[in-house]
Amino acid sequence: MKIVTQVKLMPEADQAAALGATLRTVNDLACRVSAVAFAHGVPREYELRRHTYAHLREQGLGAQAAQHVIKKVRDAYTTLHANIRAGNYGKPGSKRRRKVESKPVAFRPGAGQPYDDRCLSWQYDQQTVSIWTTAGRLKGVRFTCSAEAFKVLQPYRKGESDLIERDGVFYLIATCEVPEAERYEPDGFIGVDLGIENIATASTGYLAAGRGLNRYRKRQLALRAKLQKKRTKSAKRRLKARARKEARHAANQNHIISKTIVTEAERTSAGISLEELKGIRQRVRLRKPQRVALHSWAFAQLGDFIVYKARRAGVPLVFVDPAYTSQTCAECGHVDKRNRVDQGLFICRGCGVVAHADRNSSHNIATRGESVWNAGRESRVPATP
């Protein structure tokens, strides 16, 4: 299983200058390669290399660095075309789609540059790296990271690492191949209902209320509106900083919630059942104030965190269809739109049971998860003689 680990570089002044100059150079050349690719109808990587490799070498790039620049450009166009096919830039002929299709992909001066083991080597005992730059190879560049990240980095780092610059600070994003734990046979399933009012509600009784996070997001929204009215350079810098701060805060909350759910499942030898919410933003129709809450809700990130933590722990995990889980009684199975009285209250029209709406949904998700697991696993019935 692939995960990424971030380490912070602590270069000396001359090393920092060389790293910054390298990123600016490779990204400027990547923009030129992108222009060539756009002019030739975005050819395959081999064909693009034939058009641009010699020029990159003439500009002072090493052989591996030149290859990575070309591959980075080709990967950017692959991602762009995938987003266009998925409709993420609107329908054919829309203003936004015409805009992205009418010009080549551009790269920021501090955009990430991939490095492989030929361009980058790690000295874990000294906590330093040796890295290629346009000014030559830099040796003894110190790095730091958390103790938990270092435990993953040292034995499992494999493949490419990306050098990025953020607010004058350099980071390496390292790819680690972490082995998955052997998956056990679950003793029941924990259903997890995801929402906006309550971020996650588990059938075990665990509830992660979204009140604090929603208040934080509303406060950030008001501050963004104030800064956007100013239209100054300093206001734009603050907007970028606040956007990153808000994303970090939401990611931290999602890490806490996902770890709590996976740890409980592992402790009780249970599996986890999640809703398949892909495409929810395209399916639902909401009023404008509700749209802001839905589009700022990082449910996909929370789901991804639960998935990778479950895989690392060997916890079985299944995805189920969320249709009618909020309208179905977990006790008698009666389905009625009127069962969901309001956001937090569920009253069954069939058997009269009164329950917390999200907790009732989580029990339905758990039941569906067990059905999906039983339908997919190998039969243990003895063969007919």
Side-chain angles (χ1 to χ4, degrees), residues 9 115-124 127-132 137-141 143 157 161 172:
L9 296 181
Y115 281 78
D116 60 18
D117 288 342
R118 298 177 186 175
C119 309
L120 173 70
S121 60
W122 301 74
Q123 296 80 45
Y124 298 110
Q127 282 198 218
T128 60
V129 295
S130 172
I131 186 169
W132 172 87
R137 187 108 179 176
L138 297 181
K139 296 183 179 180
V141 181
F143 72 86
R157 191 206 62 79
S161 302
L172 280 171

Side-chain angles (χ1 to χ4, degrees), residues 72-351:
K72 179 170 76 170
V73 172
R74 192 63 189 83
D75 289 345
Y77 276 102
T78 300
T79 302
L80 174 66
H81 293 156
N83 281 323
I84 290 174
R85 286 195 303 271
N88 295 336
Y89 292 110
K91 298 178 181 179
S94 65
K95 182 178 180 181
R96 188 182 179 198
R97 181 159 173 172
R98 288 200 310 270
K99 184 177 180 181
V100 298
E101 289 178 331
S102 63
K103 59 183 181 180
V105 173
F107 295 86
R108 294 178 292 103
Q113 171 67 11
Y115 281 78
D116 60 18
D117 288 342
R118 298 177 186 175
C119 309
L120 173 70
S121 60
W122 301 74
Q123 296 80 45
Y124 298 110
D125 294 337
Q126 295 82 26
Q127 282 198 218
T128 60
V129 295
S130 172
I131 186 169
W132 172 87
T133 68
T134 52
R137 187 108 179 176
L138 297 181
K139 296 183 179 180
V141 181
R142 293 181 298 131
F143 72 86
T144 184
C145 61
S146 66
E148 188 68 26
F150 192 76
K151 288 180 183 177
V152 175
L153 183 70
Q154 187 171 6
Y156 302 125
R157 191 206 62 79
K158 186 178 181 180
E160 294 182 354
S161 302
D162 287 351
L163 174 67
I164 64 171
E165 182 182 4
R166 191 184 302 140
D167 296 332
V169 181
F170 296 95
Y171 298 90
L172 280 171
I173 312 298
T175 304
C176 300
E177 284 276 2
V178 179
E180 296 182 26
E182 185 177 354
R183 197 168 60 174
Y184 56 79
E185 187 69 21
D187 183 16
F189 272 79
I190 296 175
V192 181
D193 178 67
L194 304 179
I196 297 174
E197 192 69 25
N198 296 310
I199 300 173
T201 306
S203 56
T204 56
Y206 171 70
L207 187 146
R211 187 182 306 131
L213 184 58
N214 290 333
R215 276 204 305 262
Y216 176 81
R217 288 193 183 281
K218 286 180 181 178
R219 188 165 64 250
Q220 295 300 315
L221 183 65
L223 290 171
R224 281 200 303 273
K226 287 183 180 179
L227 289 171
Q228 286 167 347
K229 287 181 180 178
K230 292 183 180 297
R231 292 188 171 186
T232 60
K233 287 186 177 180
S234 61
K236 291 177 181 178
R237 284 197 302 269
R238 295 296 300 274
L239 278 169
K240 289 181 181 179
R242 285 195 172 276
R244 289 196 294 267
K245 184 176 181 180
E246 183 177 350
R248 288 195 303 270
H249 181 76
N252 183 59
Q253 294 298 313
N254 284 338
H255 272 300
I256 293 170
I257 295 167
S258 58
K259 186 174 182 179
T260 303
I261 293 170
V262 172
T263 302
E264 178 65 16
E266 187 180 13
R267 185 186 68 83
T268 57
S269 298
I272 297 176
S273 178
L274 286 177
E275 302 169 282
E276 178 57 75
L277 295 178
K278 191 172 183 180
I280 188 172
R281 290 189 174 99
Q282 288 75 36
R283 293 198 304 268
V284 298
R285 297 176 65 86
L286 298 170
R287 292 182 292 113
K288 191 171 183 179
Q290 294 173 313
R291 277 180 240 154
V292 175
L294 179 67
H295 286 275
S296 61
W297 179 38
F299 66 89
Q301 185 188 67
L302 176 57
D304 290 342
F305 287 173
I306 293 175
V307 168
Y308 96 80
K309 291 181 195 295
R311 289 174 63 187
R312 286 191 69 181
V315 176
L317 185 141
V318 295
F319 284 89
V320 301
D321 184 1
Y324 305 107
T325 52
S326 63
Q327 301 175 14
T328 303
C329 178
E331 296 292 331
C332 68
H334 178 68
V335 183
D336 194 327
K337 187 176 182 180
R338 297 173 297 170
N339 286 349
R340 185 74 180 258
V341 178
D342 56 28
Q343 191 281 323
L345 182 61
F346 182 93
I347 302 177
C348 180
R349 301 282 173 168
C351 65

